[in-house]
């Protein structure tokens, strides 16, 4: 009976003509439980998306659900306080238009960020080349994508630019092809050079046996016959493999006595 008497006393106290202290009490309870419920719903949404899609998308979904839920709770609270929600929404809409014109680039980045999460051209940890920025993806947010280049430089790229750029994802597939180009002198035996390079490639720890490596003639240039070693390696080993194969091709040709020419120019001096 004591609690009911307390509630009755609150109902008698008026803050304004329309709002009593009891209204404020109920509003506070709704606000408290509403915020707690919003956090729970957002957390559940995050876990569900994280389990089915990925962590970055889960973060975005968590924020969207949380902010939307909090907004709904605030509308309910305002309604309980007998405030005209329609007028507030109209004012908020007008304010949104003004802010939208002032920050249209930010909204464009947000929209692009949403499309990036839908398209998912890359994820955190992937090695990518975005408009000349080559490195590892550190973070993907609604506004921007952050990359750490291989010389340890932090690069922040607005999502609008990311979405409109050509994106090369070096980590999308488990394996990728490496092309190592070299030249041999015109006097050398092409088949012998091809066999030497191929034997080296087959003995390399980085080169996969399937698809098989191959050596082709690319072109007959001014001072050399240019050959290309094409082989497949695991994407994670790209940098080490490229260095090892380039160096190995040079050593293999040297050991076989096959000349790798360099451009030469002969100058004739005419005496009158």
């Amino acid at each position: 009976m004591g609690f009911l008497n307390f509630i009755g006393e609150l109902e008698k106290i008026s803050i304004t003509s329309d709002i009593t202290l009891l209204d404020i009490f109920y509003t506070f309870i709704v606000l408290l439980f509403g915020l707690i419920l919003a956090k729970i719903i957002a957390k559940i949404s995050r876990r569900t998306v994280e389990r089915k899609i990925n962590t970055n998308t889960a973060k975005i979904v968590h924020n969207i659900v949380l902010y939307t839920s909090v907004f709904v709770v605030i509308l309910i609270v305002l309604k309980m306080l007998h405030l005209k929600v329609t007028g507030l929404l109209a004012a908020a809409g007008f304010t949104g238009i003004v802010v939208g014109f002032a920050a249209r680039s930010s909204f464009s980045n947000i929209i692009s960020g949403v499309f990036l999460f839908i398209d998912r051209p890359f994820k955190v940890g992937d090695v990518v080349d975005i408009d000349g920025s080559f490195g590892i993806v550190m973070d993907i947010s609604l506004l921007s994508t952050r990359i750490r280049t291989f010389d340890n430089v932090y690069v922040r790229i607005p999502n609008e630019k990311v979405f409109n750029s050509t994106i090369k994802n070096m980590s999308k597939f488990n394996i990728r092809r490496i092309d190592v180009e070299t030249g041999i002198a015109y006097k050398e035996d092409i088949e012998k050079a091809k066999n030497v390079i191929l034997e080296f490639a087959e003995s390399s720890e980085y080169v996969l046996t399937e698809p098989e490596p191959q050596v082709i003639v690319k072109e007959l240039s001014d001072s050399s016959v240019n050959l290309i070693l094409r082989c497949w390696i695991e994407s994670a080993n790209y940098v080490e493999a490229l260095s090892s194969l380039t160096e190995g091709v040079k050593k293999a040709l040297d050991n076989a006595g096959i000349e790798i020419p360099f451009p030469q120019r002969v100058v004739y001096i005419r005496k009158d």
Side-chain angles (χ1 to χ4, degrees):
M1 295 296 293
F3 178 74
L4 294 178
N5 290 334
F6 172 72
I7 295 298
E9 291 299 324
L10 289 179
E11 193 171 9
K12 296 177 182 179
I13 302 174
S14 297
I15 304 300
T16 65
S17 58
D18 297 324
I19 303 174
T20 65
L21 199 56
L22 182 62
D23 293 330
I24 296 178
F25 176 74
Y26 284 147
T27 300
F28 175 77
I29 297 299
V30 170
L31 178 63
L32 179 62
F33 282 96
L35 293 178
I36 293 174
L37 184 61
K39 288 185 177 181
I40 293 175
I41 295 174
K43 194 171 184 179
I44 294 174
S45 302
R46 176 173 180 168
R47 288 180 177 177
T48 303
V49 175
E50 190 172 15
R51 186 171 58 253
K52 294 184 177 181
I53 305 179
N54 58 54
T55 303
N56 291 289
T57 305
K59 290 179 181 179
I60 300 302
V61 171
H62 173 272
N63 291 335
I64 293 175
V65 172
L66 179 61
Y67 297 149
T68 303
S69 301
V70 170
F71 180 72
V72 172
V73 171
I74 292 175
L75 289 181
I76 294 174
V77 167
L78 293 176
K79 190 70 175 177
M80 292 180 65
L81 293 175
H82 307 292
L83 296 176
K84 294 182 179 180
V85 178
T86 306
L88 291 174
L89 289 177
F94 177 76
T95 304
I97 294 174
V98 175
V99 174
F101 279 109
R104 55 185 178 273
S105 61
S106 296
F107 285 112
S108 179
N109 286 328
I110 292 174
I111 296 300
S112 298
V114 171
F115 284 128
L116 283 175
F117 280 106
I118 294 174
D119 191 37
R120 288 187 291 169
F122 52 80
K123 62 182 185 299
V124 172
D126 283 355
V127 177
V128 298
D129 182 354
I130 303 175
D131 196 33
S133 296
F134 183 60
I136 302 173
V137 178
M138 296 175 58
D139 183 50
I140 310 168
S141 66
L142 276 177
L143 289 174
S144 63
T145 298
R146 297 166 179 83
I147 293 176
R148 178 172 61 85
T149 65
F150 289 103
D151 53 350
N152 209 33
V153 176
Y154 174 89
V155 180
R156 178 187 177 277
I157 309 174
N159 281 338
E160 182 181 13
K161 185 175 183 180
V162 175
F163 188 73
N164 292 321
S165 297
T166 299
I167 300 172
K168 297 180 181 179
N169 189 338
M170 316 303 175
S171 305
K172 187 69 174 179
F173 305 107
N174 293 329
I175 64 173
R176 61 177 299 188
R177 195 184 75 191
I178 280 184
D179 291 355
V180 179
E181 183 175 346
T182 188
I184 61 173
Y186 271 94
K187 67 178 182 179
E188 302 296 347
D189 187 330
I190 295 178
E191 286 302 317
K192 178 183 176 181
K194 290 171 65 176
N195 290 333
V196 168
I197 296 174
L198 196 58
E199 288 177 6
F200 158 71
E202 291 173 345
S203 66
S204 172
E205 61 177 320
Y206 294 106
V207 178
L208 301 177
T209 56
E210 188 66 32
E212 295 181 351
Q214 61 176 175
V215 180
I216 63 171
V217 178
K218 178 188 177 184
E219 63 180 352
L220 304 176
S221 65
D222 293 339
S223 57
S224 65
V225 179
N226 293 335
L227 308 177
I228 295 181
L229 166 63
R230 288 181 172 173
C231 52
W232 292 82
I233 53 97
E234 293 182 0
S235 299
N237 298 329
Y238 179 80
V239 176
E240 297 87 351
L242 179 60
S243 176
S244 175
L245 292 174
T246 303
E247 180 180 345
V249 168
K250 169 68 167 59
K251 289 181 177 179
L253 292 175
D254 288 344
N255 293 337
I258 298 176
E259 179 185 353
I260 301 177
F262 54 88
Q264 301 181 37
R265 178 171 296 177
V266 179
V267 179
Y268 293 95
I269 300 176
R270 187 178 65 180
K271 295 181 179 181
D272 293 334

